[in-house]
Amino acid sequence: MHRLYSLALGAVTAALTFTAGTASAAGLTRQPYLQKVGPDTATVAFRLEGACVPTVRYGTRGSTDQLAQSADAGRNHAVELSGLQPGTEYTYLVDACGARTNPTRFSTAPVPGTRRVHFTAVGDFGMNNADQREVANAMLGRRPELFLALGDNAYSSGTEAEIQDNLFVPMAPLLAQVPFFATPGNHEYVTNQAQPYFDNLYLPTSPSGGERYYSFDWGHVHFVSLDSNCAIGLASEDRCTLAAQKQWLEQDLAASNADWKVVFFHHPPWSSGAHGSQLKMRREFAPLFEKYGVDLVLTGHDHHYERTSMMKGDAMASSGNPGIPYLVVGSGGASLRPISGGKPAWAAARNDKDHGYLDVTVEDGTLTAQMLTPSGKVIDSFSLDKDLPPASTPTPSTPEPSSPPVSERPAGPTQPSTGTPQPGSTTGNPGLPTGPDPLPEDPGGLGPNAAGCSAGPMAALLPAGALLLAGALRRRRRQR
């Protein structure tokens, strides 16, 4: 049954990949990717084969009757869609140089304060290999609302060509449907301190760090992306400094009244892998995480999966004392590295055998996470719980259906629990069917009718794959 499900999922994914690829014949050399998506805005970025002034056509309920035109002619474009409705599914396509791409769907961020958020996260994937593609396709199959990329997004040096070939090509189906928020890795920093990476992404910004470090809210979760490369001294002072980043972070965390706070960056403060713990990140930032109630820290860099116990300072948090779990999710596609030596007392879970990604649902006062392989095997699972005050219901600004509730500041500290949580329903973006550390410090589809779009035999894979998947799911339900 699992094999039949995988075959069906693969058929649909292949069809999506093929139809996305037809856009190249229609004038795109880089497929559309979603940036800076919020409750009422979204940026659709893409690259053209020739220079022209393209238009993004978009709308709700499958229509594309609204227009947003690029500001100028050229090959690289980032078109902002504004005046969108929160938590709403939109269909969009790119109309450029006399041809159109196939329609694709995405969803805006929910009403601020909405008490359900679903996201995925992984790092160290930018290889353009089969493992990366399988992880990306599996994430798309979970239909997350957003995707956090934890660094080393384009091996081996983060050049312009590698960003195109190792990030945007293999991740195209995912990035066209799921908003993408990234943090830079040390491999991006090899080329001009990650300048090609920043040139090709359109991320939120901070006053002192620009796109190098930033924050945003999604529902009742406050997300913070830090530049750990800058923090450990890989950036020149004219671009980024540790002091400025720390000052910004403290102000940002202090100003947030979100129920949940998640921080992500590349170098792990806690790791028993080949690189080991990045002690400077721990010393400089952990006190701020603890002071301002950060609930979860996500990193990459080491090519394995690892989760700490609840940590406070340089040791495990004592019973009844709130701490923070630190995760290494560096298993997105690069070659896995064996973990040598015994398991530290602070390591709650480790895996160096499987590529995979983290799938997280934050609903009301419970955060539930699973580390999954592309085949769906659960490598690790855990949950965090906190007491929240009753939710209030916001007044809708438009005569749309009732909006999700808005939450207040958490009333109590995060409390961990482990086990095997049941995966929640995955709503959001449309896509496929439904103690001191002894280790050394690291030094370092709808087919368009317009000309240029393919509606040939391969397009039949979409309904065929969907039917096969539906049949597999029906048989699976009957066997339960």
Side-chain angles (χ1 to χ4, degrees):
M1 173 53 62
H2 286 297
R3 178 170 177 78
L4 182 57
Y5 181 85
S6 298
L7 287 172
L9 188 63
V12 178
T13 301
L16 286 170
T17 303
F18 175 82
T19 55
T22 62
S24 294
L28 268 72
T29 57
R30 178 181 297 171
Q31 309 308 317
Y33 54 106
L34 297 166
Q35 299 276 264
K36 291 196 291 189
V37 173
D40 58 0
T41 62
T43 295
V44 179
F46 50 91
R47 177 175 291 176
L48 300 179
E49 185 176 22
C52 65
V53 180
T55 297
V56 175
R57 298 178 177 270
Y58 64 100
T60 59
R61 298 180 174 87
S63 71
T64 55
D65 55 350
Q66 301 180 64
L67 306 179
Q69 192 174 66
S70 183
D72 50 37
R75 295 182 62 241
N76 296 313
H77 296 271
V79 180
E80 181 179 350
L81 314 183
S82 59
L84 307 180
Q85 294 299 314
T88 300
E89 180 183 285
Y90 283 84
T91 300
Y92 76 96
L93 59 84
V94 175
D95 191 341
C97 305
R100 294 181 182 179
T101 63
N102 292 294
T104 306
R105 295 173 296 166
F106 77 97
S107 289
T108 52
V111 172
T114 297
R115 287 190 170 188
R116 191 183 190 283
V117 175
H118 175 211
F119 67 94
T120 57
V122 72
D124 303 86
F125 53 79
M127 298 291 292
N128 195 5
N129 61 15
D131 292 317
Q132 176 185 4
R133 292 174 185 273
E134 289 175 0
V135 169
N137 287 336
M139 283 193 289
L140 180 55
R142 299 290 292 188
R143 299 174 66 183
E145 298 170 43
L146 67 157
F147 162 49
L148 308 182
L150 306 179
D152 285 359
N153 310 303
Y155 287 97
S156 61
S157 301
T159 64
E160 174 71 29
E162 288 168 343
I163 288 171
Q164 170 68 9
D165 295 339
N166 298 345
L167 170 61
F168 288 114
V169 170
M171 310 289 275
L174 175 69
L175 303 185
Q177 300 176 67
V178 179
F180 165 50
F181 296 89
T183 194
N186 58 292
H187 281 271
E188 280 82 69
Y189 254 75
V190 171
T191 299
N192 193 16
Q193 300 178 48
Q195 193 57 49
Y197 161 89
F198 292 114
D199 289 342
N200 285 278
L201 298 183
Y202 304 88
L203 301 169
T205 60
S206 61
S208 61
E211 294 176 308
R212 291 181 186 271
Y213 48 88
Y214 60 88
S215 67
F216 63 96
D217 289 333
W218 195 286
H220 66 331
V221 182
H222 183 65
F223 292 94
V224 179
S225 172
L226 297 179
D227 186 346
S228 57
N229 302 277
C230 163
I232 65 174
L234 299 182
S236 58
E237 291 191 359
D238 63 315
R239 301 194 189 190
C240 183
T241 66
L242 170 63
Q245 187 168 196
K246 284 184 63 179
Q247 181 181 26
W248 170 82
L249 175 65
E250 181 155 24
Q251 293 171 347
D252 178 82
L253 291 176
S256 174
N257 61 0
D259 294 331
W260 294 88
K261 296 178 181 178
V262 175
V263 178
F264 62 105
F265 50 91
H266 188 60
H267 297 81
W270 293 90
S271 174
S272 61
H275 288 298
S277 301
Q278 179 32 262
L279 300 182
K280 190 169 187 179
M281 289 302 297
R282 189 195 306 174
R283 296 187 190 111
E284 298 290 344
F285 290 97
L288 294 178
F289 298 160
E290 295 164 8
K291 180 178 179 180
Y292 294 103
V294 169
D295 299 288
L296 180 66
V297 176
L298 304 176
T299 65
H301 196 41
D302 268 325
H303 297 179
H304 70 281
Y305 169 76
E306 187 163 20
R307 172 172 59 89
T308 71
S309 300
M310 303 297 283
M311 309 304 295
K312 188 175 181 63
D314 286 323
M316 296 167 60
S318 58
S319 178
N321 196 4
I324 303 171
Y326 291 79
L327 272 63
V328 177
V329 193
S331 50
S335 298
L336 300 173
R337 299 189 184 119
I339 304 174
S340 59
K343 182 179 179 182
W346 49 260
R350 301 193 303 178
N351 179 288
D352 60 2
K353 306 297 183 186
D354 299 288
H355 287 93
Y357 62 97
L358 191 72
D359 185 271
V360 183
T361 299
V362 190
E363 188 161 9
D364 295 318
T366 299
L367 181 152
T368 304
Q370 291 183 311
M371 183 64 189
L372 300 170
T373 68
S375 66
K377 182 179 76 172
V378 179
I379 296 174
D380 180 39
S381 62
F382 67 95
S383 63
L384 307 173
D385 296 289
K386 62 168 62 176
D387 294 327
L388 298 182
S392 59
T393 303
T395 301
S397 57
T398 61
E400 294 288 324
S402 299
S403 301
V406 171
S407 59
E408 303 292 339
R409 179 69 180 160
T414 302
Q415 297 296 328
S417 63
T418 59
T420 306
Q422 298 297 318
S425 60
T426 53
T427 60
N429 261 34
L432 298 178
T434 21
D437 193 324
L439 294 170
E441 182 173 349
D442 179 17
L446 296 175
N449 297 320
C453 294
S454 172
M458 284 298 292
L461 280 174
L462 281 169
L467 289 172
L468 181 58
L469 179 56
L473 292 174
R474 286 195 296 270
R475 285 189 286 275
R476 187 178 183 185
R477 285 195 291 269
R478 286 199 296 269
Q479 291 174 4
R480 287 179 176 175

